[in-house]
Amino acid sequence: MQPRFVGRLGLADAVTVANAGLGFLAAVAATVEPELAARVVLLAAIADGLDGVVARRTGGTPAGEYLDSLADVASFGVAPAFISFVIAREQWGLGGPSLASAAAFCVPALFVAMAVVRLGLYTAYDVGDHRTEGVPSTLAATLLAAAVLAGVESAAVLVGATAAFAYLMVTCIPYPDLFARDAIAMGGVQLLAVLAPTAFGRAFPRLLLGAALAYLLLAPRFYWREGSDARPAAQMEGKRS
């Protein structure tokens, strides 16, 4: 008896499912080495962009947009939250009840919960639009992973950033889709950060961190305007989320 998905899912869906698997691997890797986990999260972000390219060329399926959001929960919700928790546990000890223990456990849990809410709202209301409300979970995860690879070692900073992103993901701040040219450039920097995170004084993770921060802070006001002759990446690639 063949699996139910045979004949129903396409190549783009396979890339999306691989993204989900990378999310699990990132969470497991965090127990061994947080920097390795951060590299796997960035690899998942590359897969998240690649599935849209594949969908544009080979066609999507009705299940695609749902698979995409489910995969993103693993890769950009659970995995970065677990990295934050592991780093806090290593630095703070968490031997007994304390404010630090509460923050280490509750903030990552809140991040996962808000990522689920954000992705559910995206699937229900934003698919097919050229913008979304709230910080994209992929952006939040990229920033956390890039910060770890760039040399940010303070658990307080990382847990604080995790808390901030948990809130920002469910705000009404509009974020436009990346133009295709910028999405390709971002993917290239992510790949360099994965392959050579310590090269040239951690130049690639720091470049990625700077670019992602610029988008986080400036995109809602300056990045996209109606009537632009450049089409957003989601339109160019058939991106599903």
Side-chain angles (χ1 to χ4, degrees):
M1 184 187 307
Q2 67 182 14
R4 186 183 182 191
F5 60 77
V6 174
R8 295 186 177 185
L9 301 184
L11 182 58
D13 299 320
V15 177
T16 301
V17 172
N19 172 19
L22 288 170
F24 169 77
L25 292 177
V28 173
T31 64
V32 179
E33 175 53 61
E35 287 198 10
L36 175 60
R39 293 166 73 181
V40 179
V41 167
L42 293 183
L43 191 60
I46 295 170
D48 187 54
L50 182 61
D51 67 2
V53 177
V54 175
R56 181 180 173 225
R57 285 162 173 72
T58 65
T61 67
E65 63 190 46
Y66 303 101
L67 291 174
D68 206 33
S69 289
L70 289 169
D72 287 357
V73 169
S75 297
F76 312 127
V78 175
F82 199 65
I83 292 172
S84 180
F85 167 75
V86 168
I87 291 174
R89 183 186 62 185
E90 291 178 353
Q91 292 188 15
W92 295 343
L94 308 182
S98 67
L99 184 60
S101 294
F105 282 98
C106 294
V107 169
L110 181 64
F111 181 91
V112 174
M114 293 302 98
V116 170
V117 171
R118 188 256 183 276
L119 289 162
L121 291 173
Y122 177 91
T123 304
Y125 299 109
D126 297 342
V127 170
D129 200 351
H130 300 323
R131 70 173 195 170
T132 184
E133 292 187 353
V135 170
S137 57
T138 308
L139 177 61
T142 294
L143 281 162
L144 290 171
V148 171
L149 292 177
V152 176
E153 299 177 348
S154 170
V157 171
L158 292 171
V159 172
T162 303
F165 289 134
Y167 169 72
L168 290 171
M169 283 191 293
V170 293
T171 63
C172 294
I173 301 171
Y175 276 86
D177 293 336
L178 281 172
F179 295 133
R181 60 173 185 266
D182 297 332
I184 293 171
M186 182 70 79
V189 177
Q190 287 172 326
L191 183 60
L192 289 171
V194 170
L195 296 177
T198 60
F200 309 109
R202 298 184 180 270
F204 299 129
R206 290 175 180 176
L207 177 60
L208 176 61
L209 181 61
L213 278 172
Y215 181 74
L216 173 73
L217 298 173
L218 302 177
R221 184 177 178 89
F222 299 109
Y223 185 71
W224 184 66
R225 289 289 181 270
E226 291 283 354
S228 172
D229 60 355
R231 288 180 293 169
Q235 183 181 2
M236 290 288 290
E237 298 176 356
K239 189 77 176 74
R240 294 165 293 176
S241 76

